[in-house]
Structure formats: structure tokens, C-alpha cells
Amino acid sequence: MKITFYHYEDEDITINTDAILKDGKLLLDGLDYGKRVEELRGMGDDYEYKLSLDKENTTKLFDSLGVADKTDKQKLVTLKEMFGKDGRISEIEEYCDKHDIKTEFFCWP
């Protein structure tokens, strides 16, 4: 199951982040691109990032949000409603840290 977690676009930047729930594992998959990315990061005009949780920690996250018994789509929609307003997946990381839920973050470059 995949939904758009966040999308923003103007003449200087495009931000796309998808929330994917597959085989019981959560992945937030993002790509920002445009001249604003280059100005902010100073390294090319695109920035890829991923926040992932293994199956055990995905279960812990949805348990803590009170949606463990919902459908995959309902789980992702709840995640988007709670954390997707401004597209910062760091809010999910902070929440997980506070609730002893392990995450992995990857970015390029």
C-alpha cells in the first residue's frame, strides 16, 4: 500500500514524499528537487531521503498510534494526518525516539 505523504511544488522546489507499507514494514520515501535544494544543500539540485522501520518497530508505531487493528490504508492515512502537514519526516523520527521505536534514516547526497 502506498499513499502520497506530502507534496509541494513551486517554481523553486518540488517535494514528494510517499508513505509505503509493504510486508509489515513502513518506508517514507522522499525526493526534493529544484534550485532551492541546491541553494540550501550546496550539492546538486536533488535530495533523496528514506525513513524506514522494520516489521517489529512498524507494529510498535501503529500500536502507539492506536491504529494497529486498522487496514494498511487507514494506518497510512492516520500517519499522514498526524505527521504530514508540513512534510517533515523528522517529526516521525522524534515521535519514535520518544516511544522507543527504532528507525533508520538514509539520505543522498
Side-chain angles (χ1 to χ4, degrees):
M1 168 61 51
K2 174 175 147 179
I3 67 167
T4 299
F5 180 75
Y6 183 77
H7 178 81
Y8 175 83
E9 190 171 342
D10 67 24
E11 65 274 355
D12 295 328
I13 193 168
T14 299
I15 301 169
N16 289 306
T17 308
D18 292 326
I20 303 162
L21 190 53
K22 183 176 180 185
D23 300 326
K25 301 175 189 174
L26 177 65
L27 172 66
L28 288 144
D29 188 17
L31 173 64
D32 302 355
Y33 58 93
K35 70 178 184 179
R36 179 115 170 103
V37 173
E38 187 169 8
E39 291 168 2
L40 291 171
R41 302 204 33 90
M43 305 171 75
D45 65 352
D46 67 331
Y47 174 62
E48 292 180 59
Y49 48 93
K50 299 179 186 306
L51 179 71
S52 59
L53 285 77
D54 63 19
K55 192 172 184 175
E56 177 185 344
N57 286 286
T58 297
T59 299
K60 284 173 71 173
L61 173 62
F62 290 127
D63 280 342
S64 73
L65 297 176
V67 295
D69 61 340
K70 303 296 182 186
T71 68
D72 286 356
K73 184 173 184 175
Q74 290 170 318
K75 292 174 184 176
L76 293 178
V77 167
T78 298
L79 196 68
K80 179 178 179 173
E81 289 171 351
M82 293 184 74
F83 301 104
K85 291 174 184 58
D86 64 4
R88 289 184 23 233
I89 63 173
S90 61
E91 291 179 16
I92 296 172
E93 282 184 294
E94 292 166 9
Y95 178 90
C96 288
D97 286 346
K98 289 179 185 175
H99 292 86
D100 196 31
I101 300 167
K102 292 179 177 44
T103 63
E104 290 186 33
F105 182 78
F106 168 83
C107 65
W108 177 260

